[in-house]
Amino acid sequence: MAEKLFGHTPAGIFGYSHLLGGYAGGQAQYVRVPFANVGPIKVPDGVSDAQALFLSDVLPTGYQAAEQRGITPGDVVAIWGCGPVGQLAIQSAYLLGAERVLAIDNVPERLRMAAEHCRAETIDDSQVDVVERLKELTGGRGPDACIDAVGMEAHASGVMGVYDKGQQWMRIETGRPHALRQALQSCRSGGTVSVPGIYGGFLNAVPMGAVMNRALTVRSGQTHVQRYLRPLLERIQRGELDATFIITHHMPLDQAPLGYQIFRAKRDGCVKVVLDPWRAAA
């Protein structure tokens, strides 16, 4: 199936569907880890479990998304999606030298977190035309880099929202690339669009003409977690990165279904749920 969709079979990933191996995920007290002699790293004294936890996924994802741009001092970076990956991409962009980061979402608590914890300038995409607003904020030039931290489950209103839902219903599109379209249209000529957001198959009405005619660079990929584990751990030890601010809920493992429900529904100010296998139910 993966070869038919992607041309080649990619790597296997825990908890990531049969397209990538069908391996069960790690939300349990214990997991069996293949190649455990080379994969895991030891968490040093002085680094808490909460600080180390996000090295396994969202912190390297946000950092890779920012690093793929090759950010230079003075850059303006626009980020679609202020979920956990988006928040950490904002932090990483500033760490790598960005002058301004413009964060786009429509969930009030996520926008507030991006502004208060990450120093981002926020844009509520339910209130303004994002492409036009980005032009206004950058003197008509567009951001130097755009990061799509939303992926295939983007929601849109208006004609394109109806178009994407209809395409999915007819099985001729496997994702809703609304954020990706806006990123490609907004990025300055010669800029870079980085895509950590998940896409699983085929997309329609993607403005490829913008990529070619304005010399855009598009970079993406599953996160190379092993590459970033030790460098990011060192940054955590030096106090340069701390991802714990994204945690809004601590829950025991047997409440995981509830955690997924409130995250999906964006209830109770939920941004990130941490499941503690030894935490007693309330």
Side-chain angles (χ1 to χ4, degrees):
M1 188 186 301
E3 286 184 357
K4 290 179 180 178
L5 276 175
F6 307 143
H8 296 274
T9 300
I13 302 179
F14 288 111
Y16 220 84
S17 83
H18 287 283
L19 279 176
L20 290 103
Y23 301 106
Q27 294 185 356
Q29 279 89 343
Y30 300 97
V31 293
R32 184 179 181 183
V33 181
F35 306 107
N37 60 320
V38 295
I41 64 171
K42 184 178 180 179
V43 177
D45 294 337
V47 176
S48 69
D49 289 349
Q51 287 177 301
L53 175 61
F54 299 118
L55 285 168
S56 65
D57 184 10
V58 291
L59 180 53
T61 300
Y63 188 88
Q64 177 178 299
E67 188 188 58
Q68 285 182 148
R69 153 64 183 138
I71 291 173
T72 56
D75 276 355
V76 178
V77 181
I79 298 177
W80 277 255
C82 294
V85 170
Q87 300 285 347
L88 298 179
I90 296 169
Q91 268 201 349
S92 299
Y94 276 126
L95 185 65
L96 293 170
E99 181 176 326
R100 299 170 66 197
V101 179
L102 313 173
I104 301 148
D105 207 303
N106 54 38
V107 180
E109 55 268 23
R110 292 185 176 190
L111 291 169
R112 185 164 54 250
M113 180 179 285
E116 294 177 358
H117 289 276
C118 302
R119 300 183 293 121
E121 301 172 47
T122 59
I123 299 172
D124 185 339
D125 64 9
S126 68
Q127 302 298 317
V128 298
D129 182 306
V130 171
V131 177
E132 290 302 316
R133 180 61 176 151
L134 288 172
K135 288 180 181 178
E136 292 172 6
L137 292 171
T138 58
R141 183 169 181 261
D144 299 289
C146 293
I147 296 175
D148 170 8
V150 179
M152 63 187 288
E153 295 185 357
H155 294 278
S157 58
V159 174
M160 293 309 296
V162 174
Y163 170 85
D164 281 332
K165 288 179 181 178
Q167 296 277 295
Q168 282 193 305
W169 182 77
M170 292 186 288
R171 299 279 196 265
I172 52 179
E173 185 175 46
T174 55
R176 300 186 297 270
H178 180 65
L180 179 60
R181 291 188 192 110
Q182 287 189 340
L184 293 171
Q185 291 169 334
S186 300
C187 194
R188 70 157 172 85
S189 296
T192 300
V193 176
S194 177
V195 188
I198 300 301
Y199 290 95
F202 300 99
L203 307 175
N204 297 328
V206 172
M208 194 63 196
V211 177
M212 185 270 168
N213 288 289
R214 296 198 294 110
L216 301 181
T217 297
V218 179
R219 298 194 63 184
S220 187
Q222 291 288 353
T223 304
H224 310 309
V225 174
Q226 284 289 340
R227 172 183 174 183
Y228 294 106
L229 278 176
R230 295 187 187 281
L232 291 180
L233 178 59
E234 291 171 3
R235 286 188 180 274
I236 290 172
Q237 289 179 291
R238 293 196 297 265
E240 297 173 1
L241 278 174
D242 186 355
T244 57
F245 74 93
I246 66 173
I247 302 171
T248 54
H249 293 69
H250 285 272
M251 305 177 76
L253 188 63
D254 59 7
Q255 290 186 5
L258 174 61
Y260 276 105
Q261 289 172 13
I262 62 174
F263 176 80
R264 181 179 178 82
K266 301 178 177 63
R267 288 169 22 211
D268 194 27
C270 183
V271 175
K272 188 65 173 178
V273 178
V274 169
L275 301 175
D276 186 340
W278 293 276
R279 187 184 182 94

